[in-house]
Amino acid sequence: MSNLPPCPACNSEFTYEDGDLLVCPECSHEWSRDATPAQDEQRVWKDAHGNVLQDGDSVTLVKDLKIKGSSAVIKVGTKVKSIRLIDGDHDIDCRIDGFGPMQLKSEFVKKA
Ligand SMILES: [Zn+2]
């Protein structure tokens, strides 16, 4: 086999195959031949503390949120059930009891 890629860690050309892995004999680096490229990585939503959020999670607000176009404020500590994660500046779609449908920023919530 002469068409193996060079070692991504040290650029050695002496790469060899070991099952599904490619191995570098010079620096002992092992990697997967069909590793998925980084651009295929899925977006990860994180709350104010860096916890990963998922569709259907319950969260609480860590900050008072003013509602655009009204004087109402959603208070810090308000619980929000069954969030839906979306792309955008406001990246959480949800419904808040007493307020209706709402979009929030993940940085202003924490996982309940
Ligand atoms: Zn190497």
mmCIF file of all heavy atoms in Angstrom, residues 6-15 23-31, ligand 1:
data_model
loop_
_atom_site.group_PDB
_atom_site.id
_atom_site.type_symbol
_atom_site.label_atom_id
_atom_site.label_comp_id
_atom_site.label_asym_id
_atom_site.label_seq_id
_atom_site.Cartn_x
_atom_site.Cartn_y
_atom_site.Cartn_z
ATOM 1 N N PRO A 6 -0.271 10.708 4.884
ATOM 2 C CA PRO A 6 0.761 10.902 5.905
ATOM 3 C C PRO A 6 0.131 11.126 7.280
ATOM 4 O O PRO A 6 -1.035 11.470 7.390
ATOM 5 C CB PRO A 6 1.512 12.143 5.431
ATOM 6 C CG PRO A 6 0.555 12.863 4.541
ATOM 7 C CD PRO A 6 -0.328 11.818 3.939
ATOM 8 N N CYS A 7 0.917 10.905 8.317
ATOM 9 C CA CYS A 7 0.437 11.095 9.687
ATOM 10 C C CYS A 7 0.009 12.542 9.902
ATOM 11 O O CYS A 7 0.772 13.466 9.627
ATOM 12 C CB CYS A 7 1.563 10.744 10.661
ATOM 13 S SG CYS A 7 1.173 11.160 12.359
ATOM 14 N N PRO A 8 -1.223 12.778 10.381
ATOM 15 C CA PRO A 8 -1.679 14.154 10.605
ATOM 16 C C PRO A 8 -0.978 14.819 11.786
ATOM 17 O O PRO A 8 -1.021 16.029 11.926
ATOM 18 C CB PRO A 8 -3.181 14.000 10.871
ATOM 19 C CG PRO A 8 -3.362 12.596 11.324
ATOM 20 C CD PRO A 8 -2.262 11.791 10.684
ATOM 21 N N ALA A 9 -0.318 14.026 12.610
ATOM 22 C CA ALA A 9 0.338 14.596 13.791
ATOM 23 C C ALA A 9 1.775 15.014 13.485
ATOM 24 O O ALA A 9 2.210 16.090 13.877
ATOM 25 C CB ALA A 9 0.305 13.613 14.946
ATOM 26 N N CYS A 10 2.530 14.153 12.783
ATOM 27 C CA CYS A 10 3.949 14.466 12.567
ATOM 28 C C CYS A 10 4.347 14.424 11.100
ATOM 29 O O CYS A 10 5.504 14.626 10.768
ATOM 30 C CB CYS A 10 4.828 13.515 13.375
ATOM 31 S SG CYS A 10 4.867 11.855 12.665
ATOM 32 N N ASN A 11 3.372 14.125 10.210
ATOM 33 C CA ASN A 11 3.627 14.132 8.776
ATOM 34 C C ASN A 11 4.505 12.986 8.279
ATOM 35 O O ASN A 11 4.985 13.005 7.156
ATOM 36 C CB ASN A 11 4.259 15.468 8.361
ATOM 37 C CG ASN A 11 3.338 16.215 7.409
ATOM 38 O OD1 ASN A 11 2.311 15.673 6.983
ATOM 39 N ND2 ASN A 11 3.685 17.435 7.066
ATOM 40 N N SER A 12 4.708 11.996 9.100
ATOM 41 C CA SER A 12 5.497 10.843 8.676
ATOM 42 C C SER A 12 4.809 10.131 7.522
ATOM 43 O O SER A 12 3.586 10.037 7.469
ATOM 44 C CB SER A 12 5.661 9.881 9.843
ATOM 45 O OG SER A 12 6.083 8.620 9.365
ATOM 46 N N GLU A 13 5.578 9.618 6.582
ATOM 47 C CA GLU A 13 4.999 8.909 5.441
ATOM 48 C C GLU A 13 4.936 7.410 5.675
ATOM 49 O O GLU A 13 4.524 6.653 4.811
ATOM 50 C CB GLU A 13 5.819 9.192 4.181
ATOM 51 C CG GLU A 13 5.644 10.624 3.711
ATOM 52 C CD GLU A 13 6.649 10.991 2.625
ATOM 53 O OE1 GLU A 13 7.297 10.088 2.085
ATOM 54 O OE2 GLU A 13 6.770 12.199 2.345
ATOM 55 N N PHE A 14 5.359 6.944 6.829
ATOM 56 C CA PHE A 14 5.446 5.506 7.072
ATOM 57 C C PHE A 14 4.185 4.929 7.711
ATOM 58 O O PHE A 14 4.231 3.942 8.428
ATOM 59 C CB PHE A 14 6.684 5.192 7.928
ATOM 60 C CG PHE A 14 7.946 5.652 7.270
ATOM 61 C CD1 PHE A 14 8.638 6.743 7.756
ATOM 62 C CD2 PHE A 14 8.410 4.998 6.135
ATOM 63 C CE1 PHE A 14 9.800 7.175 7.126
ATOM 64 C CE2 PHE A 14 9.570 5.437 5.503
ATOM 65 C CZ PHE A 14 10.269 6.520 5.996
ATOM 66 N N THR A 15 3.066 5.601 7.436
ATOM 67 C CA THR A 15 1.767 5.157 7.921
ATOM 68 C C THR A 15 1.495 3.708 7.535
ATOM 69 O O THR A 15 1.830 3.283 6.434
ATOM 70 C CB THR A 15 0.687 6.039 7.258
ATOM 71 O OG1 THR A 15 0.983 7.396 7.541
ATOM 72 C CG2 THR A 15 -0.687 5.717 7.791
ATOM 73 N N VAL A 23 -2.001 3.893 11.517
ATOM 74 C CA VAL A 23 -1.071 4.052 12.630
ATOM 75 C C VAL A 23 0.222 4.659 12.120
ATOM 76 O O VAL A 23 0.708 4.304 11.046
ATOM 77 C CB VAL A 23 -0.767 2.687 13.294
ATOM 78 C CG1 VAL A 23 0.146 2.867 14.501
ATOM 79 C CG2 VAL A 23 -2.058 1.993 13.698
ATOM 80 N N CYS A 24 0.767 5.573 12.901
ATOM 81 C CA CYS A 24 2.070 6.153 12.573
ATOM 82 C C CYS A 24 3.133 5.500 13.443
ATOM 83 O O CYS A 24 3.035 5.540 14.667
ATOM 84 C CB CYS A 24 2.045 7.657 12.816
ATOM 85 S SG CYS A 24 3.673 8.411 12.708
ATOM 86 N N PRO A 25 4.154 4.875 12.854
ATOM 87 C CA PRO A 25 5.189 4.207 13.648
ATOM 88 C C PRO A 25 6.143 5.186 14.330
ATOM 89 O O PRO A 25 6.871 4.824 15.252
ATOM 90 C CB PRO A 25 5.938 3.357 12.613
ATOM 91 C CG PRO A 25 5.726 4.068 11.323
ATOM 92 C CD PRO A 25 4.377 4.748 11.410
ATOM 93 N N GLU A 26 6.145 6.427 13.889
ATOM 94 C CA GLU A 26 7.123 7.372 14.434
ATOM 95 C C GLU A 26 6.642 8.050 15.712
ATOM 96 O O GLU A 26 7.401 8.269 16.637
ATOM 97 C CB GLU A 26 7.462 8.427 13.384
ATOM 98 C CG GLU A 26 7.950 7.773 12.108
ATOM 99 C CD GLU A 26 8.956 8.600 11.362
ATOM 100 O OE1 GLU A 26 9.206 9.751 11.755
ATOM 101 O OE2 GLU A 26 9.501 8.080 10.368
ATOM 102 N N CYS A 27 5.327 8.408 15.747
ATOM 103 C CA CYS A 27 4.842 9.101 16.941
ATOM 104 C C CYS A 27 3.706 8.329 17.612
ATOM 105 O O CYS A 27 3.096 8.814 18.552
ATOM 106 C CB CYS A 27 4.395 10.524 16.607
ATOM 107 S SG CYS A 27 2.867 10.592 15.652
ATOM 108 N N SER A 28 3.413 7.123 17.090
ATOM 109 C CA SER A 28 2.367 6.262 17.660
ATOM 110 C C SER A 28 0.961 6.833 17.542
ATOM 111 O O SER A 28 0.054 6.370 18.210
ATOM 112 C CB SER A 28 2.631 5.942 19.136
ATOM 113 O OG SER A 28 3.928 5.463 19.286
ATOM 114 N N HIS A 29 0.773 7.852 16.715
ATOM 115 C CA HIS A 29 -0.557 8.417 16.521
ATOM 116 C C HIS A 29 -1.417 7.395 15.777
ATOM 117 O O HIS A 29 -0.964 6.772 14.834
ATOM 118 C CB HIS A 29 -0.448 9.713 15.719
ATOM 119 C CG HIS A 29 -1.751 10.438 15.541
ATOM 120 N ND1 HIS A 29 -2.464 10.939 16.599
ATOM 121 C CD2 HIS A 29 -2.472 10.737 14.430
ATOM 122 C CE1 HIS A 29 -3.564 11.525 16.138
ATOM 123 N NE2 HIS A 29 -3.598 11.407 14.830
ATOM 124 N N GLU A 30 -2.669 7.244 16.233
ATOM 125 C CA GLU A 30 -3.621 6.367 15.545
ATOM 126 C C GLU A 30 -4.833 7.183 15.165
ATOM 127 O O GLU A 30 -5.313 7.994 15.945
ATOM 128 C CB GLU A 30 -4.067 5.232 16.475
ATOM 129 C CG GLU A 30 -2.954 4.294 16.866
ATOM 130 C CD GLU A 30 -3.462 3.178 17.763
ATOM 131 O OE1 GLU A 30 -4.659 3.183 18.089
ATOM 132 O OE2 GLU A 30 -2.654 2.320 18.130
ATOM 133 N N TRP A 31 -5.343 6.964 13.986
ATOM 134 C CA TRP A 31 -6.549 7.684 13.610
ATOM 135 C C TRP A 31 -7.389 6.830 12.666
ATOM 136 O O TRP A 31 -6.917 5.845 12.115
ATOM 137 C CB TRP A 31 -6.225 9.044 13.013
ATOM 138 C CG TRP A 31 -5.548 9.039 11.670
ATOM 139 C CD1 TRP A 31 -6.134 9.323 10.471
ATOM 140 C CD2 TRP A 31 -4.169 8.767 11.395
ATOM 141 N NE1 TRP A 31 -5.203 9.231 9.469
ATOM 142 C CE2 TRP A 31 -3.987 8.894 10.006
ATOM 143 C CE3 TRP A 31 -3.063 8.436 12.187
ATOM 144 C CZ2 TRP A 31 -2.759 8.691 9.384
ATOM 145 C CZ3 TRP A 31 -1.841 8.231 11.572
ATOM 146 C CH2 TRP A 31 -1.707 8.365 10.191
HETATM 147 ZN ZN ZN B 1 3.139 10.542 13.381
#
